[in-house]
Amino acid sequence: MTPIRHLYVHIPFCLKVCPYCSFYKEKLDRNRMRRFLDALLLELERESARLQPRTIFFGGGTPSALSTPQLEYLLTGLRKRLDLSALGEWTLEMNPATVSLEKARMLHDLGVNRISMGVQSWDPALLAVLGRVHSAAQAERSYDILREAGFDNINLDLMFAVPTQTLAQWEATLEKTIALNPEHISAYCLTYEEDTAFFQRFAAGEYSQSKDWDADLFEATLDRLEAAGYEGYEISNHARPGRECFHNLAYWEGADYLGLGPSAFSTCGPERWQNVADVQAYTARIVAGESAIGFREEVDEATHLAERIAFGLRTNRGVALDLLGPWQAVVDEYLSEGFFICESGRIRLTRKGKLVADTLAEAFV
Ligand SMILES: C[S@@+](CC[C@H](N)C(=O)[O-])C[C@H]1O[C@@H](n2cnc3c(N)ncnc32)[C@H](O)[C@@H]1O
Ligand code: SF4
């Protein structure tokens, strides 16, 4: 049996919950962590026989919200249980308020070789709108600490189309980020996710959204980042050559992956499942020797194909023309309207197409 090559571990804790975020997370209580970490290691142990990861991604939530000893316990435990001989990329997400030199050095020593840090903005007023727990100065100090600890592969997350944000503010955030020279920049357009405080304010008419405004900010993003030598290899992701996130590329290319921890998704062939999104229930089930799966489905071929097309179109590799056979008329239309370009038997989005990627992908569902 071929081993599963990609592992995701969900750490569902944050120092403070941001008002726009719908990832599964809870407010951190470091005193009740040991039971959870033991459950995670137990789940890992059960799955270890079918895992030989090339990429590992610790996401959240905020994995760095754990203390240095807690992270050390978890990572050491993982190293004992897993065959890491094929590992190339190990990413861990951090929040600038939870970075210390001691923690960063320990992570680096234990094999983490890529950090993804949520900066969102360098503008104090926008950090306040976003309810972020850190200042711009703290984010810059944390970035310097990561470099000092030896990390040479760092992603910074940014957000645009934030309420009250101007084009000048966004451009200043891009400039400041470029000046720091991270290997990777993720620039996300704010989504109003249901069950968030931002969504309520949006529904109440206090916040609004405009496709044209989002597109203007997105174009500014491409202009600045391309000029600075970052390749937009996926709609929201920009990297120095060779510094793409290989874990995410594997998702987008439809590879099998295993997700551990509450709310984590896994995909293996046509099977897809998700663990329960509840720390207590997850821990209790794992400790009792039961499965933590809360939902399972078999993805039929048509859905699988539609997903491959939608994800593929978001990347600069695009989609093999053969896959789009049943939609030849749509493809011809998008080519003639300048949304698609066809090169070496693959269809990719043009810049004009990237501005309306989600709408274009709907034609293939
Ligand atoms: C799980 S967080 C990881 C980093 C860490 N928890 C932090 O926020 O510092 C992943 C990223 O998703 C992005 N994000 C979260 N909610 C979003 C939303 N509603 N719209 C757009 N991007 C969002 C943010 O840029 C965030 O840094
Ligand atoms: S954006 Fe990051 S820190 Fe904020 S609530 Fe979401 S996961 Fe937690």
Side-chain angles (χ1 to χ4, degrees), residues 14 18 20-23 59-63 93-96 116-120 132 134 157-159 186 188-193 196:
C14 295
C18 306
Y20 53 84
C21 178
S22 68
F23 290 103
T62 306
E93 286 186 331
M94 298 187 96
N95 177 292
S116 178
M117 185 165 77
V119 169
Q120 323 309 352
R132 296 292 289 179
H134 56 86
D157 284 338
L158 304 175
M159 284 166 73
S186 297
Y188 298 111
C189 182
L190 173 77
T191 342
Y192 289 92
E193 303 279 359
T196 63

Side-chain angles (χ1 to χ4, degrees), residues 285-347:
R285 286 205 204 177
I286 295 283
V287 171
E290 295 164 12
S291 158
I293 297 173
F295 157 85
R296 183 190 285 278
E297 66 177 350
E298 188 147 324
V299 181
D300 60 54
E301 258 181 57
T303 310
H304 182 68
L305 181 59
E307 288 179 356
R308 267 187 75 186
I309 293 171
F311 283 135
L313 282 178
R314 291 179 63 92
T315 68
N316 65 354
R317 280 204 74 223
V319 176
L321 191 53
D322 315 349
L323 279 187
L324 297 169
W327 296 278
Q328 193 58 52
V330 182
V331 172
D332 289 343
E333 185 193 328
Y334 288 174
L335 282 167
S336 71
E337 285 177 15
F339 292 126
F340 279 0
I341 184 169
C342 185
E343 272 170 357
S344 320
R346 297 188 76 84
I347 291 287

Side-chain angles (χ1 to χ4, degrees), residues 47-330:
E47 301 292 352
S48 60
R50 55 172 168 163
L51 274 167
Q52 195 194 38
R54 290 193 179 124
T55 69
I56 300 180
F57 196 104
F58 272 55
T62 306
S64 61
L66 300 185
S67 68
T68 304
Q70 286 165 346
L71 277 169
E72 191 169 11
Y73 179 73
L74 182 61
L75 268 56
T76 313
L78 177 145
R79 295 191 67 92
K80 277 190 203 140
R81 289 164 177 81
L82 267 192
D83 173 0
L84 295 181
S85 57
L87 188 63
E89 177 186 280
W90 187 350
T91 305
L92 186 133
E93 286 186 331
M94 298 187 96
N95 177 292
T98 55
V99 175
S100 70
L101 187 56
E102 188 201 9
K103 192 180 283 181
R105 282 199 171 129
M106 180 275 299
L107 294 171
H108 193 259
D109 287 349
L110 287 180
V112 174
N113 58 14
R114 184 173 184 273
I115 295 292
S116 178
M117 185 165 77
V119 169
Q120 323 309 352
S121 175
W122 295 104
D123 189 290
L126 293 177
L127 287 174
V129 170
L130 290 168
R132 296 292 289 179
V133 71
H134 56 86
S135 65
Q138 190 176 19
E140 188 165 354
R141 266 198 311 279
S142 296
Y143 180 81
D144 291 342
I145 286 176
L146 294 173
R147 289 297 195 207
E148 196 183 332
F151 285 104
D152 64 0
N153 198 3
I154 300 180
N155 167 58
L156 299 181
D157 284 338
L158 304 175
M159 284 166 73
F160 63 89
V162 172
T164 76
Q165 186 182 36
T166 64
L167 180 59
Q169 279 174 316
W170 177 233
E171 285 177 335
T173 275
L174 289 170
E175 290 309 331
K176 168 78 188 166
T177 308
I178 291 165
L180 289 174
N181 200 20
E183 285 66 33
H184 191 289
I185 300 172
S186 297
Y188 298 111
C189 182
L190 173 77
T191 342
Y192 289 92
E193 303 279 359
E194 269 183 58
D195 300 326
T196 63
F198 265 35
F199 186 81
Q200 283 167 11
R201 296 173 84 159
F202 177 70
E206 192 185 334
Y207 290 162
S208 61
Q209 205 176 16
S210 142
K211 284 202 161 133
D212 288 345
W213 178 232
D214 293 353
D216 288 349
L217 294 165
F218 179 66
E219 284 230 72
T221 311
L222 293 184
D223 286 343
R224 278 310 296 125
L225 296 184
E226 276 169 15
Y230 290 92
E231 191 191 350
Y233 69 99
E234 195 267 351
I235 293 206
S236 307
N237 289 284
H238 313 264
R240 296 271 183 232
R243 297 306 199 142
E244 299 86 356
C245 175
F246 293 103
H247 185 83
N248 285 340
L249 275 175
Y251 282 166
W252 298 325
E253 282 165 9
D256 289 348
Y257 61 90
L258 205 64
L260 305 182
S263 84
F265 277 97
S266 303
T267 298
C268 231
E271 293 283 318
R272 180 176 303 168
W273 63 95
Q274 186 187 20
N275 280 350
V276 282
D278 178 328
V279 176
Q280 304 306 332
Y282 165 83
T283 308
R285 286 205 204 177
I286 295 283
V287 171
E290 295 164 12
S291 158
I293 297 173
F295 157 85
R296 183 190 285 278
E297 66 177 350
E298 188 147 324
V299 181
D300 60 54
E301 258 181 57
T303 310
H304 182 68
L305 181 59
E307 288 179 356
R308 267 187 75 186
I309 293 171
F311 283 135
L313 282 178
R314 291 179 63 92
T315 68
N316 65 354
R317 280 204 74 223
V319 176
L321 191 53
D322 315 349
L323 279 187
L324 297 169
W327 296 278
Q328 193 58 52
V330 182

